[in-house]
Amino acid sequence: MDAIQIAPAKRGDAPRLAGMSRRLIEAGLEACWTEERIERHRRHPDSVVLTARVAGSIGGFAIMQYGDDAAHLNLLAVEPVHQRRGIGRRLVGWLEDTARTAGVFRVRLEVRDTNLAAQRFYAALGYEPCGAVRGYYQTQEDALRFMRDLSVRDPRG
Ligand SMILES: CC(C)(COP(=O)(O)OP(=O)(O)OC[C@H]1O[C@@H](n2cnc3c(N)ncnc32)[C@H](O)[C@@H]1OP(=O)(O)O)[C@@H](O)C(=O)NCCC(=O)NCCS
């Protein structure tokens, strides 16, 4: 199995990440995560754009924005061919460790209410549903909100 390398995105990665977002996260919606927006997050001191490289190519990525009280996971995607190999768990784990180091112990995120696979993924990582937002996605689709308290050790490890 190819080694997986987790590291902050490099200059020049944004077009590839925007394409993954359009295809894997924003399918059926107007694409909001343009390469310019992703590049802004990559350069912003309060955001991390993280990639997982498999044999040198980007197989997954995530974007987290760190606030004073909570961090917000904006985007997360793993190429279908690389799913169920622990890449999503490693990306989120890296970003959670960074939040703890920064003294931020709460992570929030929204997920499309039709995206049952992602909801199961977040539940497996210790995230709890904490509400719904009607029409969150361009008034077309509702979101479910999830939250994890990082100060509580997850009994699932
Ligand atoms: C959600 C997503 C990021 C998960 O990434 P992944 O690398 O496949 O996930 P992992 O291999 O780290 O899975 C960790 C655990 O989550 C759960 N899980 C992951 N995918 C699952 C699925 N499709 N169905 C049910 N449970 C799932 C499992 O418990 C899994 O552990 P296991 O494989 O040992 O059973 C990936 O499916 C994806 O990119 N989906 C499309 C984009 C998306 O929905 N992004 C999230 C919303 S922004």
Side-chain angles (χ1 to χ4, degrees), residues 24-25 74-79 82-90 110-112 115-118 120-122 124-125:
L24 300 172
I25 300 171
N74 288 319
L75 291 183
L76 170 68
V78 175
E79 286 290 358
H82 296 307
Q83 288 178 9
R84 300 306 285 264
R85 293 174 58 187
I87 293 178
R89 189 191 287 276
R90 284 185 57 186
E110 289 83 29
V111 60
R112 292 169 79 163
N115 190 350
L116 298 181
R120 290 188 186 119
F121 165 81
Y122 290 120
L125 269 60

PDB file of all heavy atoms in Angstrom, residues 24-25 74-79 82-90 110-112 115-118 120-122 124-125, ligand 1:
ATOM      1  N   LEU A  24     -16.798  16.389  -5.355  1.00  0.00           N
ATOM      2  CA  LEU A  24     -17.065  15.469  -4.239  1.00  0.00           C
ATOM      3  C   LEU A  24     -17.927  16.078  -3.137  1.00  0.00           C
ATOM      4  O   LEU A  24     -18.560  15.343  -2.381  1.00  0.00           O
ATOM      5  CB  LEU A  24     -15.743  14.985  -3.624  1.00  0.00           C
ATOM      6  CG  LEU A  24     -14.814  14.225  -4.585  1.00  0.00           C
ATOM      7  CD1 LEU A  24     -13.464  13.963  -3.938  1.00  0.00           C
ATOM      8  CD2 LEU A  24     -15.469  12.903  -5.013  1.00  0.00           C
ATOM      9  N   ILE A  25     -17.917  17.430  -3.024  1.00  0.00           N
ATOM     10  CA  ILE A  25     -18.640  18.057  -1.902  1.00  0.00           C
ATOM     11  C   ILE A  25     -19.813  18.907  -2.388  1.00  0.00           C
ATOM     12  O   ILE A  25     -20.908  18.826  -1.853  1.00  0.00           O
ATOM     13  CB  ILE A  25     -17.679  18.938  -1.060  1.00  0.00           C
ATOM     14  CG1 ILE A  25     -16.542  18.074  -0.490  1.00  0.00           C
ATOM     15  CG2 ILE A  25     -18.438  19.631   0.063  1.00  0.00           C
ATOM     16  CD1 ILE A  25     -15.432  18.873   0.172  1.00  0.00           C
ATOM     17  N   ASN A  74     -14.407  23.439   7.400  1.00  0.00           N
ATOM     18  CA  ASN A  74     -15.127  23.952   6.228  1.00  0.00           C
ATOM     19  C   ASN A  74     -15.301  22.911   5.141  1.00  0.00           C
ATOM     20  O   ASN A  74     -16.370  22.842   4.522  1.00  0.00           O
ATOM     21  CB  ASN A  74     -14.369  25.136   5.623  1.00  0.00           C
ATOM     22  CG  ASN A  74     -14.445  26.380   6.475  1.00  0.00           C
ATOM     23  OD1 ASN A  74     -15.501  26.691   7.026  1.00  0.00           O
ATOM     24  ND2 ASN A  74     -13.349  27.075   6.615  1.00  0.00           N
ATOM     25  N   LEU A  75     -14.246  22.169   4.862  1.00  0.00           N
ATOM     26  CA  LEU A  75     -14.282  21.204   3.747  1.00  0.00           C
ATOM     27  C   LEU A  75     -13.489  19.968   4.117  1.00  0.00           C
ATOM     28  O   LEU A  75     -12.464  20.069   4.811  1.00  0.00           O
ATOM     29  CB  LEU A  75     -13.639  21.792   2.487  1.00  0.00           C
ATOM     30  CG  LEU A  75     -14.303  22.933   1.723  1.00  0.00           C
ATOM     31  CD1 LEU A  75     -13.472  23.247   0.475  1.00  0.00           C
ATOM     32  CD2 LEU A  75     -15.725  22.602   1.341  1.00  0.00           C
ATOM     33  N   LEU A  76     -13.929  18.835   3.599  1.00  0.00           N
ATOM     34  CA  LEU A  76     -13.175  17.585   3.762  1.00  0.00           C
ATOM     35  C   LEU A  76     -13.576  16.668   2.613  1.00  0.00           C
ATOM     36  O   LEU A  76     -14.761  16.458   2.365  1.00  0.00           O
ATOM     37  CB  LEU A  76     -13.539  16.911   5.098  1.00  0.00           C
ATOM     38  CG  LEU A  76     -13.009  15.484   5.280  1.00  0.00           C
ATOM     39  CD1 LEU A  76     -11.486  15.468   5.411  1.00  0.00           C
ATOM     40  CD2 LEU A  76     -13.630  14.835   6.520  1.00  0.00           C
ATOM     41  N   ALA A  77     -12.586  16.140   1.910  1.00  0.00           N
ATOM     42  CA  ALA A  77     -12.902  15.182   0.843  1.00  0.00           C
ATOM     43  C   ALA A  77     -11.734  14.235   0.623  1.00  0.00           C
ATOM     44  O   ALA A  77     -10.565  14.628   0.747  1.00  0.00           O
ATOM     45  CB  ALA A  77     -13.220  15.907  -0.466  1.00  0.00           C
ATOM     46  N   VAL A  78     -12.078  13.000   0.314  1.00  0.00           N
ATOM     47  CA  VAL A  78     -11.092  11.977  -0.026  1.00  0.00           C
ATOM     48  C   VAL A  78     -11.535  11.388  -1.369  1.00  0.00           C
ATOM     49  O   VAL A  78     -12.731  11.093  -1.562  1.00  0.00           O
ATOM     50  CB  VAL A  78     -11.035  10.886   1.067  1.00  0.00           C
ATOM     51  CG1 VAL A  78     -10.111   9.751   0.658  1.00  0.00           C
ATOM     52  CG2 VAL A  78     -10.585  11.488   2.405  1.00  0.00           C
ATOM     53  N   GLU A  79     -10.601  11.260  -2.296  1.00  0.00           N
ATOM     54  CA  GLU A  79     -10.938  10.658  -3.595  1.00  0.00           C
ATOM     55  C   GLU A  79     -11.560   9.275  -3.381  1.00  0.00           C
ATOM     56  O   GLU A  79     -11.050   8.487  -2.579  1.00  0.00           O
ATOM     57  CB  GLU A  79      -9.681  10.513  -4.462  1.00  0.00           C
ATOM     58  CG  GLU A  79      -9.152  11.797  -5.036  1.00  0.00           C
ATOM     59  CD  GLU A  79     -10.053  12.371  -6.127  1.00  0.00           C
ATOM     60  OE1 GLU A  79     -11.085  11.761  -6.474  1.00  0.00           O
ATOM     61  OE2 GLU A  79      -9.720  13.460  -6.622  1.00  0.00           O
ATOM     62  N   HIS A  82      -9.522   6.247  -2.840  1.00  0.00           N
ATOM     63  CA  HIS A  82      -8.729   6.153  -1.609  1.00  0.00           C
ATOM     64  C   HIS A  82      -9.580   6.115  -0.344  1.00  0.00           C
ATOM     65  O   HIS A  82      -9.040   6.181   0.767  1.00  0.00           O
ATOM     66  CB  HIS A  82      -7.755   7.336  -1.519  1.00  0.00           C
ATOM     67  CG  HIS A  82      -6.735   7.348  -2.615  1.00  0.00           C
ATOM     68  ND1 HIS A  82      -5.935   6.252  -2.906  1.00  0.00           N
ATOM     69  CD2 HIS A  82      -6.383   8.318  -3.496  1.00  0.00           C
ATOM     70  CE1 HIS A  82      -5.138   6.553  -3.909  1.00  0.00           C
ATOM     71  NE2 HIS A  82      -5.400   7.782  -4.299  1.00  0.00           N
ATOM     72  N   GLN A  83     -10.908   6.078  -0.507  1.00  0.00           N
ATOM     73  CA  GLN A  83     -11.764   6.102   0.687  1.00  0.00           C
ATOM     74  C   GLN A  83     -11.670   4.791   1.466  1.00  0.00           C
ATOM     75  O   GLN A  83     -11.275   3.764   0.924  1.00  0.00           O
ATOM     76  CB  GLN A  83     -13.219   6.400   0.283  1.00  0.00           C
ATOM     77  CG  GLN A  83     -13.386   7.866  -0.143  1.00  0.00           C
ATOM     78  CD  GLN A  83     -14.785   8.227  -0.603  1.00  0.00           C
ATOM     79  OE1 GLN A  83     -15.717   7.438  -0.464  1.00  0.00           O
ATOM     80  NE2 GLN A  83     -14.939   9.412  -1.166  1.00  0.00           N
ATOM     81  N   ARG A  84     -12.019   4.865   2.735  1.00  0.00           N
ATOM     82  CA  ARG A  84     -12.006   3.747   3.687  1.00  0.00           C
ATOM     83  C   ARG A  84     -10.607   3.196   3.920  1.00  0.00           C
ATOM     84  O   ARG A  84     -10.426   2.003   4.169  1.00  0.00           O
ATOM     85  CB  ARG A  84     -12.962   2.620   3.256  1.00  0.00           C
ATOM     86  CG  ARG A  84     -14.410   3.040   3.143  1.00  0.00           C
ATOM     87  CD  ARG A  84     -14.985   3.710   4.381  1.00  0.00           C
ATOM     88  NE  ARG A  84     -15.282   2.837   5.484  1.00  0.00           N
ATOM     89  CZ  ARG A  84     -16.468   2.313   5.756  1.00  0.00           C
ATOM     90  NH1 ARG A  84     -17.477   2.592   4.970  1.00  0.00           N
ATOM     91  NH2 ARG A  84     -16.650   1.541   6.796  1.00  0.00           N
ATOM     92  N   ARG A  85      -9.609   4.092   3.850  1.00  0.00           N
ATOM     93  CA  ARG A  85      -8.232   3.718   4.187  1.00  0.00           C
ATOM     94  C   ARG A  85      -7.713   4.539   5.364  1.00  0.00           C
ATOM     95  O   ARG A  85      -6.509   4.582   5.598  1.00  0.00           O
ATOM     96  CB  ARG A  85      -7.309   3.938   2.981  1.00  0.00           C
ATOM     97  CG  ARG A  85      -7.588   3.015   1.823  1.00  0.00           C
ATOM     98  CD  ARG A  85      -6.738   3.381   0.619  1.00  0.00           C
ATOM     99  NE  ARG A  85      -5.302   3.350   0.927  1.00  0.00           N
ATOM    100  CZ  ARG A  85      -4.364   3.773   0.072  1.00  0.00           C
ATOM    101  NH1 ARG A  85      -4.700   4.255  -1.107  1.00  0.00           N
ATOM    102  NH2 ARG A  85      -3.093   3.708   0.398  1.00  0.00           N
ATOM    103  N   GLY A  86      -8.634   5.248   6.025  1.00  0.00           N
ATOM    104  CA  GLY A  86      -8.233   6.025   7.194  1.00  0.00           C
ATOM    105  C   GLY A  86      -7.713   7.421   6.879  1.00  0.00           C
ATOM    106  O   GLY A  86      -7.236   8.118   7.778  1.00  0.00           O
ATOM    107  N   ILE A  87      -7.812   7.866   5.617  1.00  0.00           N
ATOM    108  CA  ILE A  87      -7.276   9.194   5.266  1.00  0.00           C
ATOM    109  C   ILE A  87      -8.118  10.310   5.898  1.00  0.00           C
ATOM    110  O   ILE A  87      -7.582  11.255   6.481  1.00  0.00           O
ATOM    111  CB  ILE A  87      -7.186   9.354   3.736  1.00  0.00           C
ATOM    112  CG1 ILE A  87      -6.137   8.393   3.182  1.00  0.00           C
ATOM    113  CG2 ILE A  87      -6.865  10.799   3.346  1.00  0.00           C
ATOM    114  CD1 ILE A  87      -5.988   8.416   1.667  1.00  0.00           C
ATOM    115  N   GLY A  88      -9.431  10.190   5.799  1.00  0.00           N
ATOM    116  CA  GLY A  88     -10.308  11.200   6.402  1.00  0.00           C
ATOM    117  C   GLY A  88     -10.047  11.300   7.901  1.00  0.00           C
ATOM    118  O   GLY A  88      -9.913  12.402   8.454  1.00  0.00           O
ATOM    119  N   ARG A  89      -9.925  10.171   8.572  1.00  0.00           N
ATOM    120  CA  ARG A  89      -9.675  10.160  10.021  1.00  0.00           C
ATOM    121  C   ARG A  89      -8.336  10.846  10.331  1.00  0.00           C
ATOM    122  O   ARG A  89      -8.234  11.627  11.277  1.00  0.00           O
ATOM    123  CB  ARG A  89      -9.647   8.702  10.510  1.00  0.00           C
ATOM    124  CG  ARG A  89      -9.606   8.544  12.005  1.00  0.00           C
ATOM    125  CD  ARG A  89      -9.315   7.105  12.372  1.00  0.00           C
ATOM    126  NE  ARG A  89     -10.424   6.202  12.155  1.00  0.00           N
ATOM    127  CZ  ARG A  89     -11.413   6.003  13.008  1.00  0.00           C
ATOM    128  NH1 ARG A  89     -11.437   6.682  14.137  1.00  0.00           N
ATOM    129  NH2 ARG A  89     -12.371   5.140  12.747  1.00  0.00           N
ATOM    130  N   ARG A  90      -7.321  10.586   9.512  1.00  0.00           N
ATOM    131  CA  ARG A  90      -6.005  11.194   9.770  1.00  0.00           C
ATOM    132  C   ARG A  90      -6.019  12.699   9.535  1.00  0.00           C
ATOM    133  O   ARG A  90      -5.411  13.469  10.280  1.00  0.00           O
ATOM    134  CB  ARG A  90      -4.942  10.529   8.895  1.00  0.00           C
ATOM    135  CG  ARG A  90      -4.564   9.165   9.442  1.00  0.00           C
ATOM    136  CD  ARG A  90      -3.444   8.534   8.673  1.00  0.00           C
ATOM    137  NE  ARG A  90      -2.238   9.364   8.630  1.00  0.00           N
ATOM    138  CZ  ARG A  90      -1.160   9.065   7.913  1.00  0.00           C
ATOM    139  NH1 ARG A  90      -1.148   7.957   7.188  1.00  0.00           N
ATOM    140  NH2 ARG A  90      -0.101   9.850   7.912  1.00  0.00           N
ATOM    141  N   GLU A 110     -20.814  21.617   9.293  1.00  0.00           N
ATOM    142  CA  GLU A 110     -22.125  21.330   8.708  1.00  0.00           C
ATOM    143  C   GLU A 110     -21.948  20.278   7.628  1.00  0.00           C
ATOM    144  O   GLU A 110     -20.913  20.230   6.968  1.00  0.00           O
ATOM    145  CB  GLU A 110     -22.751  22.572   8.044  1.00  0.00           C
ATOM    146  CG  GLU A 110     -23.209  23.633   9.016  1.00  0.00           C
ATOM    147  CD  GLU A 110     -22.077  24.525   9.445  1.00  0.00           C
ATOM    148  OE1 GLU A 110     -21.129  24.714   8.656  1.00  0.00           O
ATOM    149  OE2 GLU A 110     -22.122  25.033  10.593  1.00  0.00           O
ATOM    150  N   VAL A 111     -22.972  19.476   7.452  1.00  0.00           N
ATOM    151  CA  VAL A 111     -22.938  18.453   6.412  1.00  0.00           C
ATOM    152  C   VAL A 111     -24.313  18.418   5.733  1.00  0.00           C
ATOM    153  O   VAL A 111     -25.338  18.680   6.376  1.00  0.00           O
ATOM    154  CB  VAL A 111     -22.524  17.088   7.022  1.00  0.00           C
ATOM    155  CG1 VAL A 111     -23.475  16.633   8.090  1.00  0.00           C
ATOM    156  CG2 VAL A 111     -22.344  16.025   5.972  1.00  0.00           C
ATOM    157  N   ARG A 112     -24.296  18.135   4.436  1.00  0.00           N
ATOM    158  CA  ARG A 112     -25.578  18.071   3.699  1.00  0.00           C
ATOM    159  C   ARG A 112     -26.443  16.980   4.316  1.00  0.00           C
ATOM    160  O   ARG A 112     -25.954  15.890   4.615  1.00  0.00           O
ATOM    161  CB  ARG A 112     -25.297  17.782   2.217  1.00  0.00           C
ATOM    162  CG  ARG A 112     -24.601  18.945   1.548  1.00  0.00           C
ATOM    163  CD  ARG A 112     -24.090  18.604   0.181  1.00  0.00           C
ATOM    164  NE  ARG A 112     -25.157  18.638  -0.821  1.00  0.00           N
ATOM    165  CZ  ARG A 112     -24.942  18.697  -2.133  1.00  0.00           C
ATOM    166  NH1 ARG A 112     -23.683  18.728  -2.602  1.00  0.00           N
ATOM    167  NH2 ARG A 112     -25.935  18.721  -2.975  1.00  0.00           N
ATOM    168  N   ASN A 115     -26.218  13.536   2.911  1.00  0.00           N
ATOM    169  CA  ASN A 115     -24.904  12.886   2.875  1.00  0.00           C
ATOM    170  C   ASN A 115     -24.732  11.949   4.080  1.00  0.00           C
ATOM    171  O   ASN A 115     -24.050  12.263   5.062  1.00  0.00           O
ATOM    172  CB  ASN A 115     -23.807  13.957   2.836  1.00  0.00           C
ATOM    173  CG  ASN A 115     -22.449  13.368   2.560  1.00  0.00           C
ATOM    174  OD1 ASN A 115     -22.256  12.152   2.580  1.00  0.00           O
ATOM    175  ND2 ASN A 115     -21.474  14.224   2.305  1.00  0.00           N
ATOM    176  N   LEU A 116     -25.358  10.781   3.950  1.00  0.00           N
ATOM    177  CA  LEU A 116     -25.370   9.853   5.095  1.00  0.00           C
ATOM    178  C   LEU A 116     -23.984   9.285   5.368  1.00  0.00           C
ATOM    179  O   LEU A 116     -23.618   9.033   6.518  1.00  0.00           O
ATOM    180  CB  LEU A 116     -26.362   8.713   4.837  1.00  0.00           C
ATOM    181  CG  LEU A 116     -27.818   9.149   4.668  1.00  0.00           C
ATOM    182  CD1 LEU A 116     -28.721   7.940   4.443  1.00  0.00           C
ATOM    183  CD2 LEU A 116     -28.300   9.950   5.873  1.00  0.00           C
ATOM    184  N   ALA A 117     -23.179   9.075   4.303  1.00  0.00           N
ATOM    185  CA  ALA A 117     -21.833   8.511   4.507  1.00  0.00           C
ATOM    186  C   ALA A 117     -21.002   9.445   5.384  1.00  0.00           C
ATOM    187  O   ALA A 117     -20.352   8.999   6.339  1.00  0.00           O
ATOM    188  CB  ALA A 117     -21.152   8.285   3.161  1.00  0.00           C
ATOM    189  N   ALA A 118     -21.040  10.746   5.071  1.00  0.00           N
ATOM    190  CA  ALA A 118     -20.260  11.699   5.867  1.00  0.00           C
ATOM    191  C   ALA A 118     -20.804  11.770   7.296  1.00  0.00           C
ATOM    192  O   ALA A 118     -20.038  11.874   8.257  1.00  0.00           O
ATOM    193  CB  ALA A 118     -20.293  13.079   5.211  1.00  0.00           C
ATOM    194  N   ARG A 120     -22.108   9.370   8.981  1.00  0.00           N
ATOM    195  CA  ARG A 120     -21.611   8.177   9.693  1.00  0.00           C
ATOM    196  C   ARG A 120     -20.125   8.328  10.008  1.00  0.00           C
ATOM    197  O   ARG A 120     -19.662   7.932  11.073  1.00  0.00           O
ATOM    198  CB  ARG A 120     -21.866   6.928   8.853  1.00  0.00           C
ATOM    199  CG  ARG A 120     -23.342   6.624   8.796  1.00  0.00           C
ATOM    200  CD  ARG A 120     -23.643   5.280   8.144  1.00  0.00           C
ATOM    201  NE  ARG A 120     -25.080   5.155   8.009  1.00  0.00           N
ATOM    202  CZ  ARG A 120     -25.726   5.014   6.857  1.00  0.00           C
ATOM    203  NH1 ARG A 120     -25.057   4.919   5.722  1.00  0.00           N
ATOM    204  NH2 ARG A 120     -27.044   4.921   6.831  1.00  0.00           N
ATOM    205  N   PHE A 121     -19.397   8.909   9.054  1.00  0.00           N
ATOM    206  CA  PHE A 121     -17.970   9.153   9.277  1.00  0.00           C
ATOM    207  C   PHE A 121     -17.780  10.044  10.515  1.00  0.00           C
ATOM    208  O   PHE A 121     -17.013   9.707  11.422  1.00  0.00           O
ATOM    209  CB  PHE A 121     -17.376   9.801   8.023  1.00  0.00           C
ATOM    210  CG  PHE A 121     -16.023  10.416   8.215  1.00  0.00           C
ATOM    211  CD1 PHE A 121     -14.882   9.619   8.187  1.00  0.00           C
ATOM    212  CD2 PHE A 121     -15.878  11.781   8.422  1.00  0.00           C
ATOM    213  CE1 PHE A 121     -13.621  10.182   8.363  1.00  0.00           C
ATOM    214  CE2 PHE A 121     -14.626  12.344   8.597  1.00  0.00           C
ATOM    215  CZ  PHE A 121     -13.500  11.546   8.572  1.00  0.00           C
ATOM    216  N   TYR A 122     -18.502  11.186  10.568  1.00  0.00           N
ATOM    217  CA  TYR A 122     -18.304  12.098  11.694  1.00  0.00           C
ATOM    218  C   TYR A 122     -18.736  11.441  13.011  1.00  0.00           C
ATOM    219  O   TYR A 122     -18.075  11.618  14.039  1.00  0.00           O
ATOM    220  CB  TYR A 122     -19.043  13.421  11.463  1.00  0.00           C
ATOM    221  CG  TYR A 122     -18.405  14.255  10.373  1.00  0.00           C
ATOM    222  CD1 TYR A 122     -19.108  14.623   9.229  1.00  0.00           C
ATOM    223  CD2 TYR A 122     -17.075  14.648  10.469  1.00  0.00           C
ATOM    224  CE1 TYR A 122     -18.518  15.374   8.227  1.00  0.00           C
ATOM    225  CE2 TYR A 122     -16.469  15.388   9.466  1.00  0.00           C
ATOM    226  CZ  TYR A 122     -17.191  15.753   8.352  1.00  0.00           C
ATOM    227  OH  TYR A 122     -16.583  16.480   7.360  1.00  0.00           O
ATOM    228  N   ALA A 124     -18.507   8.320  13.693  1.00  0.00           N
ATOM    229  CA  ALA A 124     -17.445   7.361  14.044  1.00  0.00           C
ATOM    230  C   ALA A 124     -16.261   8.069  14.689  1.00  0.00           C
ATOM    231  O   ALA A 124     -15.519   7.469  15.469  1.00  0.00           O
ATOM    232  CB  ALA A 124     -16.983   6.603  12.796  1.00  0.00           C
ATOM    233  N   LEU A 125     -16.085   9.366  14.369  1.00  0.00           N
ATOM    234  CA  LEU A 125     -14.969  10.125  14.946  1.00  0.00           C
ATOM    235  C   LEU A 125     -15.364  10.850  16.237  1.00  0.00           C
ATOM    236  O   LEU A 125     -14.584  11.657  16.752  1.00  0.00           O
ATOM    237  CB  LEU A 125     -14.446  11.146  13.934  1.00  0.00           C
ATOM    238  CG  LEU A 125     -13.310  10.663  13.030  1.00  0.00           C
ATOM    239  CD1 LEU A 125     -13.707   9.460  12.183  1.00  0.00           C
ATOM    240  CD2 LEU A 125     -12.811  11.794  12.143  1.00  0.00           C
TER     241      LEU A 125
HETATM  242  C1  LIG B   1     -16.558  11.379   4.336  1.00  0.00           C
HETATM  243  C2  LIG B   1     -15.156  11.043   3.822  1.00  0.00           C
HETATM  244  C3  LIG B   1     -14.279  12.280   3.929  1.00  0.00           C
HETATM  245  C4  LIG B   1     -14.554   9.908   4.674  1.00  0.00           C
HETATM  246  O1  LIG B   1     -13.197   9.733   4.304  1.00  0.00           O
HETATM  247  P1  LIG B   1     -12.473   8.285   4.395  1.00  0.00           P
HETATM  248  O2  LIG B   1     -11.017   8.514   4.249  1.00  0.00           O
HETATM  249  O3  LIG B   1     -13.104   7.338   3.463  1.00  0.00           O
HETATM  250  O4  LIG B   1     -12.829   7.848   5.883  1.00  0.00           O
HETATM  251  P2  LIG B   1     -11.989   6.874   6.866  1.00  0.00           P
HETATM  252  O5  LIG B   1     -11.429   5.750   6.059  1.00  0.00           O
HETATM  253  O6  LIG B   1     -11.019   7.699   7.661  1.00  0.00           O
HETATM  254  O7  LIG B   1     -13.175   6.331   7.783  1.00  0.00           O
HETATM  255  C5  LIG B   1     -13.161   6.377   9.215  1.00  0.00           C
HETATM  256  C6  LIG B   1     -14.416   5.730   9.730  1.00  0.00           C
HETATM  257  O8  LIG B   1     -15.579   6.519   9.350  1.00  0.00           O
HETATM  258  C7  LIG B   1     -16.670   5.650   9.034  1.00  0.00           C
HETATM  259  N1  LIG B   1     -17.014   5.781   7.616  1.00  0.00           N
HETATM  260  C8  LIG B   1     -16.269   6.339   6.633  1.00  0.00           C
HETATM  261  N2  LIG B   1     -16.921   6.294   5.453  1.00  0.00           N
HETATM  262  C9  LIG B   1     -18.098   5.670   5.690  1.00  0.00           C
HETATM  263  C10 LIG B   1     -19.204   5.331   4.863  1.00  0.00           C
HETATM  264  N3  LIG B   1     -19.226   5.589   3.533  1.00  0.00           N
HETATM  265  N4  LIG B   1     -20.266   4.701   5.432  1.00  0.00           N
HETATM  266  C11 LIG B   1     -20.271   4.432   6.752  1.00  0.00           C
HETATM  267  N5  LIG B   1     -19.228   4.744   7.612  1.00  0.00           N
HETATM  268  C12 LIG B   1     -18.166   5.362   7.066  1.00  0.00           C
HETATM  269  C13 LIG B   1     -16.201   4.231   9.351  1.00  0.00           C
HETATM  270  O9  LIG B   1     -16.483   3.968  10.713  1.00  0.00           O
HETATM  271  C14 LIG B   1     -14.704   4.362   9.132  1.00  0.00           C
HETATM  272  O10 LIG B   1     -13.962   3.379   9.816  1.00  0.00           O
HETATM  273  P3  LIG B   1     -13.755   1.918   9.139  1.00  0.00           P
HETATM  274  O11 LIG B   1     -13.365   2.119   7.706  1.00  0.00           O
HETATM  275  O12 LIG B   1     -12.662   1.328   9.992  1.00  0.00           O
HETATM  276  O13 LIG B   1     -15.081   1.240   9.283  1.00  0.00           O
HETATM  277  C15 LIG B   1     -15.224  10.527   2.336  1.00  0.00           C
HETATM  278  O14 LIG B   1     -16.202   9.526   2.251  1.00  0.00           O
HETATM  279  C16 LIG B   1     -15.525  11.618   1.318  1.00  0.00           C
HETATM  280  O15 LIG B   1     -14.630  12.340   0.875  1.00  0.00           O
HETATM  281  N6  LIG B   1     -16.799  11.737   0.905  1.00  0.00           N
HETATM  282  C17 LIG B   1     -17.175  12.705  -0.150  1.00  0.00           C
HETATM  283  C18 LIG B   1     -17.030  14.146   0.347  1.00  0.00           C
HETATM  284  C19 LIG B   1     -17.762  14.369   1.653  1.00  0.00           C
HETATM  285  O16 LIG B   1     -18.848  13.870   1.867  1.00  0.00           O
HETATM  286  N7  LIG B   1     -17.127  15.175   2.556  1.00  0.00           N
HETATM  287  C20 LIG B   1     -17.663  15.441   3.877  1.00  0.00           C
HETATM  288  C21 LIG B   1     -18.649  16.514   3.884  1.00  0.00           C
HETATM  289  S1  LIG B   1     -17.885  18.103   3.740  1.00  0.00           S
END
